[in-house]
Amino acid sequence: VSSVALSSVSYLSQIQNLILSLGLGLVSGSSVVMSRFFGEGDYVGVRKSFNNMLTLLFSILILLLVLVPFVPGFLSFLGTPDVFIKEGSSYFQVLTLSTVLNLFNNAFISIERIRGRTRRIMVFNFIVMAIKLTLTAFFVYVLESSIVMIAFSTLVSHLFLSVIAIISFSKKDSLFSINTKFMKVEKKTALSILSLSFPLMFEKSAFSLGKTIVNSIVSSFYPLSVGALGVSTGVSGLVTLMQSGFSDASMALISQNDGNGRKDRVIKCYFSVLVLTLFFSLIGTLVIYTFSKPLIHIFAMGRNGYDIEFESLIYDVFKYDLFSCIPLAFNISASSLIIGSGRTKIAFLVSFCRVYLFRIPLLKYLLSYTTLGNISIKIVMIVSNTLTAVLSTAIAIYIILKERRKY
């Protein structure tokens, strides 16, 4: 795959994340509501909130399906560079179908998390990843297909998990089963879900839109840097995915204990996840940095041969991007407390500051008024992640001090 195609994939993936964030916000907000009911022992409330979540989620999925035929115009409306539209319109159409399945799968994963079945989640994620990587390697290296088949690989991998989710939701004796009795949107339940979900929808959408704006700014100065940044994010994502795993698990525990009135356990859970996330982030960062060169070398291999300039660009961005994951351990731990305790508006504020206050203005200034060039991207990643960690941790400490006065 050429460096232009890789840059197209990186750019369009951010737009996909923008769309995905709407559904993920709904799932996250619903998960908090269900976890609270679960902690209180209100199983009728669990059933109602689960089925109402699915009804609201299906509405979003239908809108996404309607979007598919109009993808070129949609990408143009978002200000996507023409070279990326030409290279990736068909890719994005398949990716949109994949997003539909991905959102449904995330609802299933959130339920498994509430049940405490984290091992099952790990197994499912490994299988999905294995299917995606195997098919992608086959289409790219054996059949030498276009990037559309990369999106098709993602679609097939998500389809596997969707089948498992449908089977799970069809079990009548399960607390989390599709029940037409509760599928009708109930005003009180829906408002409870949406009051927590809307800030998270805006938080995730604003963050994804911000990353799209960052890509657009970077591409206007250094087009291939978008691909380098995308590859760098993917490799360093081995650390951030681990961080998210700790955060997701602790968020469910915090919500359940918050619903049960156990504020002391909520605070203990925050400090536990902070220590674990920070420890494993340090270990993960060192391990990935050690093996980073052979990993990055893979992405520099295209059909036209080895692109040494692109590899050098990726590696330069990657070094700063990876080590900026360490302050993210503080941010992710704080987010689990903030969202798990139902303070979703604060989560939106933190995410907004991370992109629109700490990242975009600084990036625009460095690229426009200095001669730092690509170094600007590296500086911005570290500065924005560090300032976000300071802000979110300060908020977490304030919440803890406030809760301690109650018991």
Side-chain angles (χ1 to χ4, degrees):
V1 178
S2 67
S3 54
V4 174
L6 194 58
S7 294
S8 299
V9 170
S10 298
Y11 189 98
L12 295 175
S13 292
Q14 295 304 325
I15 299 178
Q16 182 217 13
N17 289 336
L18 173 62
I19 297 171
L20 190 62
S21 60
L22 295 172
L24 290 180
L26 175 63
V27 171
S28 297
S30 302
S31 181
V32 172
V33 173
M34 286 184 285
S35 294
R36 284 181 171 178
F37 281 132
F38 198 82
E40 294 172 2
D42 183 357
Y43 299 127
V44 174
V46 173
R47 288 180 181 273
K48 285 183 179 179
S49 54
F50 167 70
N51 281 277
N52 273 225
M53 174 195 71
L54 287 183
T55 301
L56 294 170
L57 184 61
F58 287 153
S59 301
I60 296 175
L61 301 186
I62 291 171
L63 289 176
L64 287 179
L65 291 174
V66 172
L67 172 67
V68 173
F70 307 102
V71 159
F74 175 71
L75 294 177
S76 179
F77 174 76
L78 292 179
T80 305
D82 291 339
V83 63
F84 292 162
I85 295 177
K86 182 180 179 180
E87 184 78 25
S89 287
S90 297
Y91 164 83
F92 193 78
Q93 286 176 318
V94 179
L95 202 63
T96 303
L97 295 175
S98 176
T99 302
V100 171
L101 297 180
N102 193 7
L103 285 173
F104 181 68
N105 294 344
N106 270 278
F108 170 62
I109 292 297
S110 71
I111 299 305
E112 293 296 286
R113 193 175 294 119
I114 292 172
R115 287 168 160 170
R117 297 175 176 177
T118 52
R119 290 182 182 177
R120 280 170 59 101
I121 295 174
M122 180 185 69
V123 171
F124 290 148
N125 284 335
F126 270 123
I127 294 174
V128 169
M129 182 175 64
I131 294 173
K132 180 178 178 179
L133 290 177
T134 302
L135 289 177
T136 299
F138 176 73
F139 288 132
V140 172
Y141 295 112
V142 178
L143 299 183
E144 296 188 352
S145 304
S146 66
I147 59 174
V148 176
M149 298 310 293
I150 296 176
F152 180 74
S153 301
T154 304
L155 179 66
V156 173
S157 63
H158 285 314
L159 182 60
F160 161 78
L161 190 55
S162 295
V163 172
I164 294 176
I166 291 171
I167 294 172
S168 177
F169 291 161
S170 299
K171 295 178 180 178
K172 299 298 181 181
D173 58 338
S174 172
L175 183 63
F176 300 97
S177 62
I178 296 176
N179 190 323
T180 54
K181 178 182 176 181
F182 299 118
M183 286 290 286
K184 184 179 179 181
V185 175
E186 186 183 79
K187 184 177 180 181
K188 182 179 179 181
T189 304
L191 287 176
S192 179
I193 291 173
L194 293 175
S195 64
L196 291 177
S197 298
F198 271 131
L200 291 178
M201 287 182 184
F202 287 121
E203 179 255 333
K204 294 180 185 297
S205 297
F207 184 72
S208 296
L209 178 61
K211 292 180 76 173
T212 303
I213 293 172
V214 167
N215 281 345
S216 182
I217 293 172
V218 172
S219 66
S220 65
F221 288 89
Y222 309 99
L224 289 185
S225 292
V226 176
L229 185 59
V231 173
S232 171
T233 302
V235 177
S236 60
L238 296 171
V239 175
T240 56
L241 283 174
M242 176 195 61
Q243 293 174 335
S244 297
F246 281 116
S247 176
D248 291 340
S250 62
M251 199 182 301
L253 290 173
I254 288 172
S255 297
Q256 290 176 17
N257 283 291
D258 189 55
N260 200 28
R262 293 299 304 270
K263 304 295 184 181
D264 57 326
R265 289 185 177 179
V266 169
I267 295 171
K268 286 180 181 178
C269 190
Y270 164 70
F271 283 112
S272 296
V273 74
L274 175 59
V275 171
L276 287 170
T277 306
L278 185 58
F279 174 75
F280 283 103
S281 294
L282 288 169
I283 299 297
T285 297
L286 292 174
V287 171
I288 293 173
Y289 182 74
T290 302
F291 298 99
S292 59
K293 287 191 176 180
L295 281 172
I296 291 173
H297 182 75
I298 296 173
F299 293 96
M301 297 297 295
R303 289 177 188 166
N304 297 323
Y306 172 53
D307 192 336
I308 189 171
E309 183 181 351
F310 190 52
E311 181 182 41
S312 177
L313 182 59
I314 294 171
Y315 192 71
D316 283 344
V317 174
F318 166 77
K319 287 185 293 185
Y320 289 80
D321 194 12
L322 178 64
F323 286 101
S324 71
C325 291
I326 295 174
L328 278 183
F330 290 91
N331 179 47
I332 286 178
S333 301
S335 294
S336 65
L337 174 65
I338 294 169
I339 298 174
S341 59
R343 296 173 169 89
T344 54
K345 292 179 182 178
I346 296 178
F348 167 72
L349 174 65
V350 172
S351 185
F352 184 88
C353 289
R354 180 182 176 185
V355 178
Y356 296 94
L357 186 62
F358 303 149
R359 186 169 295 182
I360 292 176
L362 179 60
L363 178 64
K364 187 68 175 176
Y365 173 80
L366 291 178
L367 288 175
S368 300
Y369 300 105
T370 71
T371 57
L372 292 172
N374 279 315
I375 298 176
S376 303
I377 303 171
K378 313 166 193 176
I379 295 173
V380 167
M381 295 302 291
I382 289 181
V383 171
S384 63
N385 286 350
T386 301
L387 290 177
T388 304
V390 172
L391 175 62
S392 59
T393 302
I395 292 172
I397 292 172
Y398 170 77
I399 291 172
I400 289 169
L401 294 174
K402 184 178 179 181
E403 294 297 342
R404 275 183 171 167
R405 298 191 191 103
K406 296 179 181 180
Y407 71 89

